[in-house]
Amino acid sequence: MTQQTPRPAIDVQHLVKRYKHKTAVDGISLEIGAGETFGILGTNGAGKTTTVEMIAGLRRPSEGSVRILGLDPFTDRAQVRQILGVQLQQAYLHGSLTCRELVDLYRSFYPDPLSTEKALSMVELTEKHKTKFDDLSGGQMQRLSIALALIGQPRVVILDELTTGLDPKARRRVWGTIESLTEQTVILVSHAMDEVERLCDRVALIDEGRVIAQGRPHELREQADAPTLEDAFVSLTGRDVHDDEEDA
């Protein structure tokens, strides 16, 4: 009997997003296995955020398809919300609610959420539980967004610029939280090479809305004959990952 290849947890085929005068994503295909941490790496403006927002069902593709555990994020929206957690670059949360109130609100959306105490503790916000969202620092807002993405114990997690605004100690502790997600499938969008090297099983390099290369970090270094992942990125894309155009 022929053994069947397991279906990918996330299956993205020929994804395209066009705007009036621009194609932000131009035919991206990705297959991400269950339990894999998959990095998406590219300069600002490369199409990373647009890609993950289409995967999450926050933007509708112009062409192509997305399946999350076999579900379409648009036609199966209610089911996808129960299995998907998302942390975006910018948090748009009710500014007058406290950290505890926001966590309690998000807990109410899921059948088997983390406890409020555990959610706040894992991002080191226990002492800020009575602080309103608008009174948090940028890094604290980011950490709260991570807690809210994980509160429902999702099977798939999308994290966009995970540790932006965090100090080195907080970054390492957040990394530990992500490393503990051994059963979840994680998409990580990041500029931080050390973060990608440490956390990601595989990485896709994206430039001008297309996948230029993908593989394990060491495979990309070998392909480019480069000593570091950052050098490999420059070699394979011809760009500096820290280029400062507005992201798409």
Side-chain angles (χ1 to χ4, degrees), residues 52-226:
V52 296
E53 287 180 350
M54 286 191 287
I55 293 172
L58 301 175
R59 293 180 190 254
R60 190 175 290 277
S62 304
E63 295 178 20
S65 66
V66 176
R67 294 294 182 270
I68 299 175
L69 299 178
L71 300 172
D72 185 301
F74 289 96
T75 60
D76 304 311
R77 186 180 296 274
Q79 292 169 274
V80 169
R81 283 177 177 171
Q82 294 299 311
I83 61 171
L84 177 66
V86 181
Q87 171 261 326
L88 299 176
Q89 286 189 54
Q90 295 181 320
Y92 298 100
L93 300 172
H94 198 299
S96 65
L97 294 181
T98 66
C99 290
R100 174 175 287 276
E101 289 169 339
L102 284 165
V103 170
D104 286 343
L105 174 63
Y106 274 66
R107 289 187 76 249
S108 71
F109 301 155
Y110 302 99
D112 184 29
L114 297 173
S115 70
T116 300
E117 290 71 24
K118 183 172 182 178
L120 291 172
S121 175
M122 71 182 181
V123 291
E124 300 187 318
L125 288 176
T126 300
E127 295 182 358
K128 296 290 183 179
H129 69 101
K130 293 184 180 179
T131 303
K132 293 181 180 180
F133 182 75
D134 275 352
D135 293 332
L136 297 174
S137 69
Q140 290 166 348
M141 290 179 178
Q142 187 81 339
R143 282 150 56 193
L144 181 60
S145 296
I146 294 167
L148 298 180
L150 300 177
I151 193 71
Q153 303 195 72
R155 294 170 63 187
V156 176
V157 185
I158 295 175
L159 303 168
D160 193 356
E161 299 296 350
L162 173 68
T163 55
T164 298
L166 303 188
D167 61 45
K169 181 179 178 181
R171 288 182 77 219
R172 287 192 295 272
R173 292 193 176 180
V174 169
W175 289 353
T177 298
I178 304 309
E179 288 173 326
S180 72
L181 303 178
T182 55
E183 297 184 2
Q184 286 92 340
T185 302
V186 179
I187 295 180
L188 175 64
V189 178
S190 180
H191 278 90
M193 293 294 176
D194 55 347
E195 186 166 279
V196 171
E197 289 258 21
R198 173 165 169 171
L199 298 179
C200 295
D201 301 304
R202 288 190 300 135
V203 183
L205 308 185
I206 293 182
D207 187 46
E208 295 185 339
R210 299 179 180 180
V211 174
I212 302 302
Q214 62 178 304
R216 296 182 179 277
H218 74 87
E219 292 171 342
L220 295 175
R221 293 196 304 270
E222 291 170 2
Q223 181 180 341
D225 192 22

